[in-house]
Amino acid sequence: MGSAPNVGRAEDAEMLGKGSDPDGPANEANGSADVANVLLIEDEPGIVDFVRRGLEAEGFAVEAALDGNEGERLALNGGFDAIVLDLMLPGRSGLEILAAVRRAMPSLPVIVLTARGEIEDRVEGLEAGAVDYLVKPFSMAELVARVRAQLRVVAHASASMLSAEDIEVDLLTRKVQRAGRSVALSTTEFELLVYLLRHHGQVVSREQILSSVWGYEHDPATNVVDVYVGYLRRKLGRPGEPAPIFTVRAVGYRLGTAS
Ligand code: CA
């Protein structure tokens, strides 16, 4: 464990030596609850070892997958704060994994590792996912800085973000996304969605929705809530992918998974 890993490039080994102390006390932090969990998807054992030690020395908890299928499975299971993703992998390619992660978890930071020369061909795919990337060989200090910066962006954004299922709402910019696609809503539709998201998984009555979103007491004659839920379902849904807003008979509505 004490020797530098074989990463196939002298400069990597040298940077590991300079960058961090893999046996340092920061490793002890891995068990605590506020440690950031990083998923590393990379098939070269030397780089896995290099990145794992470097990130762990900085206090991150690291789980590694050595092929694309396993990496995608772990990524979509959730529980990670960031993903470090190689592009050239056995099984699923890095770009396929990136696309799947972007659909399921649009705001999860992904830092892509690429070999020199790969980037020109793939920049289109990378821009589609708006990810950060590092060209190999990279220094551990640079990777740590990128991961930290991405986590800061997420922490800042999450203060104004509401999300449930695959819907994300930014309360500051009032942007709405479903599975990574933008959805344009009217002001009232937006307020209704925010109310449903804030009560994610709960059944809310028409009366509760009416007084919270429209701000007046229940008029039994009005069907405005049902009408606007209809608008929202239509705008959020796509063929084969209905909006996750369910009617609870004689009570009201629930945003969540089907039950
Ligand atoms: Ca590779």
Side-chain angles (χ1 to χ4, degrees):
M1 287 296 284
S3 63
N6 173 20
V7 293
R9 293 173 198 273
E11 61 266 46
D12 282 351
E14 191 189 346
M15 282 185 266
L16 175 70
K18 281 186 205 161
S20 57
D21 173 7
D23 301 317
N27 281 332
E28 291 165 15
N30 288 355
S32 67
D34 57 352
V35 165
N37 294 301
V38 177
L39 173 61
L40 168 63
I41 308 176
E42 164 67 66
D43 61 315
E44 287 179 55
I47 295 179
V48 171
D49 196 19
F50 169 64
V51 171
R52 180 199 288 283
R53 286 165 174 242
L55 290 177
E56 285 180 354
E58 296 292 330
F60 295 99
V62 179
E63 188 161 347
L66 285 119
D67 73 74
N69 294 319
E70 172 74 352
E72 184 175 81
R73 190 184 65 75
L74 287 173
L76 296 180
N77 277 351
F80 295 99
D81 301 298
I83 297 178
V84 177
L85 176 66
D86 185 29
L87 284 188
M88 299 291 279
L89 293 164
R92 303 283 281 167
S93 79
L95 285 183
E96 288 172 312
I97 296 170
L98 180 62
V101 167
R102 278 288 166 266
R103 275 194 301 276
M105 307 158 189
S107 60
L108 182 68
V110 178
I111 293 126
V112 164
L113 307 178
T114 72
R116 210 176 287 285
E118 280 176 8
I119 200 71
E120 293 80 5
D121 304 337
R122 295 165 193 279
V123 77
E124 198 178 329
L126 295 178
E127 281 172 357
V131 296
D132 208 356
Y133 62 85
L134 277 174
V135 175
K136 299 175 185 177
F138 52 87
S139 76
M140 200 60 231
E142 196 177 0
L143 177 59
V144 167
R146 298 289 184 93
V147 172
R148 288 227 168 96
Q150 293 286 323
L151 291 173
R152 271 197 300 276
V153 169
V154 171
H156 181 72
S158 65
S160 70
M161 297 299 290
L162 262 184
S163 66
E165 307 307 316
D166 55 2
I167 299 169
E168 288 199 340
V169 167
D170 187 326
L171 298 171
L172 288 181
T173 64
R174 301 179 77 88
K175 286 195 173 124
V176 177
Q177 291 201 321
R178 171 119 199 256
R181 295 185 309 271
S182 288
V183 179
L185 298 181
S186 71
T187 303
T188 304
E189 290 160 356
F190 181 86
E191 297 302 333
L192 173 60
L193 178 60
V194 166
Y195 184 81
L196 293 172
L197 285 170
R198 289 205 158 118
H199 296 84
H200 171 227
Q202 304 166 22
V203 178
V204 285
S205 69
R206 288 177 179 76
E207 293 83 354
Q208 287 173 309
I209 296 172
L210 201 58
S211 68
S212 299
V213 177
W214 278 266
Y216 48 80
E217 290 310 303
H218 179 54
D219 168 4
T222 184
N223 66 344
V224 67
V225 172
D226 309 87
V227 169
Y228 272 83
V229 166
Y231 295 156
L232 206 48
R233 279 178 175 152
R234 199 154 64 228
K235 289 191 175 179
L236 291 172
R238 301 227 301 191
E241 199 183 341
I245 302 170
F246 298 93
T247 304
V248 181
R249 272 182 54 155
V251 185
Y253 294 99
R254 179 175 55 82
L255 188 151
T257 48
S259 60

